[in-house]
Amino acid sequence: MRILVTVKFTPDLQSHRSFTDGSVTRTADDGSMNELDENAVEAALQLVEAAGEGEVYALTVGGPDAVAAVRKALQLGANHAIHVSDEEIAGADVFGTAKVLAAAIRKVHEEQPLDLVITGMAALDGLTSMLPTALAADLGWSQLTLASELTVADGEATIVRHMPDAHETVAAPLPAVVSVTDEANSPRYPNFKLIMAARKAPVTQWSLADIGVDGVTVGAIAARTEVRDASPRPEKADRQVVTDTGDGGVTLANFLIEKGLA
Amino acid sequence: MSGNTVAVLVEHRDGVVAQPTLENLTLARSLGEPVAVWLGEPPSDEASATLGAYGAGAVRVVELGAAGRLPKVRAAAVGAATPDAPVVLMTSTFLNKEVATLLALETGAGVVVDASGAELADGRVETEQTVFAATWNIRTRVVSERAIVALRPNTTQATEVDGAGAATVETVVFEAPEVPERLVAVSAVEREEGVPLAEARVVVSGGRGTNGDYALVRDLADVLGGAVGATRDATDEGWISHEHMVGQTGTTVTPALYVACGISGAVHHRGGMQASGTIVAVNIDPDAPIFEIADLGIVGDLNDVLPQAIATLQEHKGA
Ligand SMILES: Cc1cc2nc3c(=O)[nH]c(=O)nc-3n(C[C@H](O)[C@H](O)[C@H](O)COP(=O)(O)OP(=O)(O)OC[C@H]3O[C@@H](n4cnc5c(N)ncnc54)[C@H](O)[C@@H]3O)c2cc1C
Ligand SMILES: Cc1cc2nc3c(=O)[nH]c(=O)nc-3n(C[C@H](O)[C@H](O)[C@H](O)COP(=O)(O)OP(=O)(O)OC[C@H]3O[C@@H](n4cnc5c(N)ncnc54)[C@H](O)[C@@H]3O)c2cc1C
């Protein structure tokens, strides 16, 4: 079983974030692998462990800091790490990002075929949840998204997908792109041995030229959307916190009544 | 671009048009000429009258069976119904985000999801979004000629058009594409009474602080006419079903009022509710992070505060 996991470098949700020229400003010390991609790495490791053979690749697309995302995947047990970085990727939208990831995946797949690509359900910064669909389409592989359960047998992957109105079971032939939700599994903690090994493990660095992608087809110039303006939301005025001394419920009710909300 | 067709993908349940679709039709009127796209069994006369009342000139119907649950089939159906529409609006749901992506790959459209508004500026669509757990507002310009915008519920006030006629119903010829994915089984989730969480104008949520007893949370939701939400800790405990989970990996809600009971306010939870109009929190711990974003915070035991609030509100309602 050969599986590639896409992992995104995202800023720490608790840290102060800002926008500069329409993109997210990041510093090396306040970011890491997107938390939801831990579920993707875990899903891949479990499938390989169950199969008793196989390899897990971790792939990220991003600036120099993004290498932290694949290092985290190595700590969790991934066997290989690839970091695609190129100044021309800056300003990419979902479709540009998918194109870069797809080109890198094809390069790995051509060397030795992959069975699956596993992604997280959303990146906790962009949060579009669009990338897995765009990636499957670009590769021309089956699309099995938002899996809360995943099984692989007889050249097919089967997932359970929780939609608001129904739970669906969907199957498709390999190779497939699968996105897993945080319900799919409980990610493991990295162990000391792997942490030490991950420090020294090599990370393959590719530029756009290495994967045969022309920068003008993926970066800001190609983007179909462009952030025009960004501003921190103003702090709410008139916030109040009161301690219940016996009439807290009345205070709450009166507040809603005065605001016309009840 | 004004004067152009603006397609609105209709969300409907049991044949009834969902409120966010009426909001999107209202918004569509400011962008061009709205037409409604209806997937599934054809709409009733009542449903097409409703769509007409909110501004749809036509309802384009694509009849789809169970395969319409598959994103690729659904996207192809929307595409077949909207070849002339430079702007397509839909409700931001996980399924629609996939549909939007696939449709955009066909048409070259730019996509913005989780938007809270859209307008035309110099012949292009520009959108408003709140991002990073609702701590930033961003304005995005769709630079391509075509735009697909998925909007969060409760971000536009739905209004009818004075003297609008009924929408004409048109059937779209559609042959579902062959896709590698196949539906093996579909088991319906039992739907609760009342408005779905994502669309509710009022959401009352309970967290670990409820200790598993949702009676007070439900009663408060009832008296406020709202839906019940929960945190992941509560759904993980099995106290309430997963469909109720609010947050970045659950349902994102933007109601006029959000009441958080026994919820600490973890960043993952906040990301799914922080853009709500008014936020009220009840928590026994004065240092709970939820108070940082609450318009009104009550430091107290929910078992004391909620019964009193419910009684006062019931009295007010009866008066
Ligand atoms: C605040 C914000 C808003 C944005 N809004 C839009 C928008 O409206 N339209 C638009 O077209 N673009 C938008 N973008 C750009 C878009 O987020 C990026 O192109 C991004 O790389 C892909 O989308 P996502 O982060 O939403 O990923 P999602 O689709 O939410 O991520 C799902 C999974 O895809 C994988 N993945 C995503 N990105 C990478 C990566 N760089 N490397 C490796 N794996 C990855 C991960 O496994 C992740 O779990 C926005 C970005 C930000 C920060
Ligand atoms: C990748 C990832 C994704 C996640 N996604 C989500 C998500 O989408 N949604 C989500 O909700 N969580 C999510 N979580 C979990 C999240 O981080 C928090 O753990 C969770 O939201 C906490 O739930 P809680 O507030 O109910 O519990 P706690 O954090 O335990 O808070 C309980 C609160 O109740 C108060 N309390 C206790 N007793 C009383 C009483 N009698 N009266 C009043 N107050 C009382 C306490 O003071 C405390 O503040 C995610 C986590 C991860 C790692």
Side-chain angles (χ1 to χ4, degrees):
Chain A
M1 185 93 61
R2 284 167 49 80
I3 304 175
L4 183 143
V5 181
T6 58
V7 294
K8 186 179 185 185
F9 178 78
T10 53
D12 179 351
L13 281 170
Q14 321 273 0
S15 83
H16 218 72
R17 265 162 294 172
S18 61
F19 271 89
T20 317
D21 300 332
S23 38
V24 189
T25 306
R26 294 168 177 144
T27 54
D29 59 330
D30 74 351
S32 171
M33 181 171 96
N34 173 36
E35 232 176 329
L36 290 167
D37 293 343
E38 291 179 26
N39 297 98
V41 174
E42 181 64 34
L45 294 173
Q46 286 185 9
L47 284 171
V48 166
E49 283 161 6
E53 53 82 32
E55 282 179 307
V56 176
Y57 288 76
L59 167 65
T60 194
V61 169
D65 301 339
V67 72
V70 283
R71 288 233 180 264
K72 177 71 190 273
L74 289 171
Q75 290 178 6
L76 291 169
N79 310 99
H80 308 281
I82 303 166
H83 175 201
V84 181
S85 194
D86 199 307
E87 277 171 15
E88 290 191 295
I89 299 170
D93 64 1
V94 167
F95 304 104
T97 308
K99 206 167 190 168
V100 176
L101 285 167
I105 290 166
R106 268 189 218 103
K107 191 173 159 97
V108 176
H109 188 63
E110 274 157 21
E111 272 165 25
Q112 200 183 334
L114 292 163
D115 299 292
L116 280 176
V117 166
I118 305 183
T119 79
M121 69 180 286
L124 291 172
D125 58 345
L127 265 186
T128 68
S129 290
M130 289 166 60
L131 190 113
T133 301
L135 181 60
D138 198 304
L139 290 168
W141 294 8
S142 312
Q143 170 191 333
L144 295 169
T145 35
L146 300 172
S148 48
E149 291 171 35
L150 164 64
T151 49
V152 177
D154 307 326
E156 253 198 359
T158 305
I159 66 158
V160 174
R161 172 172 152 103
H162 290 176
M163 292 284 106
D165 65 330
H167 294 177
E168 305 169 351
T169 307
V170 189
L174 303 179
V177 175
V178 177
S179 77
V180 294
T181 73
D182 57 335
E183 286 181 283
N185 52 46
S186 303
R188 65 193 64 187
Y189 291 100
N191 69 40
F192 183 71
K193 223 175 101 201
L194 284 171
I195 292 177
M196 295 315 285
R199 271 198 202 150
K200 285 188 235 109
V203 174
T204 304
Q205 296 280 346
W206 284 338
S207 66
L208 286 182
D210 293 328
I211 53 174
V213 172
D214 183 348
V216 299
T217 64
V218 293
I221 306 167
R224 306 172 185 186
T225 51
E226 181 183 288
V227 174
R228 268 301 163 91
D229 188 47
S231 52
R233 260 161 72 96
E235 285 263 336
K236 287 192 169 181
D238 308 329
R239 289 194 302 109
Q240 42 172 328
V241 178
V242 295
T243 302
D244 177 30
T245 51
D247 60 355
V250 175
T251 307
L252 196 167
N254 286 339
F255 175 84
L256 299 183
I257 294 164
E258 271 162 36
K259 285 222 154 202
L261 290 163
Chain B
M1 197 184 261
S2 140
N4 276 331
T5 302
V6 179
V8 174
L9 178 58
V10 178
E11 298 293 314
H12 54 86
R13 281 180 299 272
D14 305 330
V16 178
V17 181
Q19 185 67 19
T21 297
L22 304 180
E23 296 165 7
N24 286 351
L25 280 170
T26 306
L27 178 66
R29 302 201 306 256
S30 67
L31 302 171
E33 304 293 327
V35 300
V37 175
W38 180 288
L39 307 183
E41 294 279 305
S44 63
D45 291 348
E46 204 187 330
S48 41
T50 303
L51 295 168
Y54 284 85
V59 187
R60 298 179 181 170
V61 179
V62 189
E63 291 195 41
L64 278 178
R69 302 192 68 91
L70 293 169
K72 286 177 190 165
V73 174
R74 209 168 180 79
V78 178
T82 59
D84 58 333
V87 183
V88 179
L89 305 184
M90 50 184 83
T91 306
S92 228
T93 62
F94 280 116
L95 177 58
N96 281 349
K97 289 175 177 187
E98 300 180 342
V99 169
T101 309
L102 291 162
L103 183 60
L105 287 166
E106 285 302 312
T107 65
V111 184
V112 178
V113 298
D114 290 327
S116 52
E119 62 182 20
L120 290 178
D122 311 321
R124 288 289 182 272
V125 172
E126 293 193 357
T127 63
E128 302 287 342
Q129 269 169 293
T130 59
V131 300
F132 297 154
T135 54
W136 282 72
N137 289 329
I138 61 173
R139 186 175 183 84
T140 302
R141 183 171 175 84
V142 179
V143 289
S144 21
E145 274 174 40
R146 283 174 170 255
I148 303 173
V149 183
L151 291 131
R152 284 190 177 160
N154 290 315
T155 48
T156 301
Q157 177 75 38
T159 54
E160 295 190 28
V161 186
D162 284 338
T168 55
V169 177
E170 302 161 3
T171 304
V172 177
V173 182
F174 175 68
E175 201 173 323
E178 292 278 329
V179 298
E181 301 82 13
R182 113 181 160 267
L183 275 175
V184 178
V186 178
S187 70
V189 171
E190 209 177 309
R191 193 151 58 77
E192 302 207 4
E193 297 279 307
V195 208
L197 185 57
E199 299 169 17
R201 246 183 55 81
V202 174
V203 173
V204 181
S205 289
R208 185 170 285 287
T210 62
N211 226 343
D213 184 356
Y214 272 74
L216 289 170
V217 170
R218 280 187 203 282
D219 287 351
L220 182 59
D222 278 348
V223 66
L224 292 169
V228 173
T231 61
R232 189 164 90 172
D233 284 36
T235 58
D236 279 356
E237 290 283 352
W239 294 342
I240 185 163
S241 69
H242 184 78
E243 285 75 39
H244 292 274
M245 186 174 90
V246 171
Q248 284 178 326
T249 56
T251 304
T252 297
V253 299
T254 36
L257 171 65
Y258 189 87
V259 186
C261 310
I263 292 176
S264 60
V267 67
H268 306 99
H269 186 77
R270 283 158 60 154
M273 48 65 71
Q274 196 156 345
S276 305
T278 297
I279 297 170
V280 172
V282 181
N283 196 303
I284 210 160
D285 173 9
D287 296 325
I290 192 77
F291 288 133
E292 291 164 20
I293 57 161
D295 296 273
L296 174 69
I298 308 275
V299 180
D301 190 326
L302 64 88
N303 298 302
D304 299 330
V305 177
L306 297 193
Q308 199 179 60
I310 294 161
T312 311
L313 290 166
Q314 273 165 346
E315 212 173 291
H316 168 75
K317 241 177 128 179

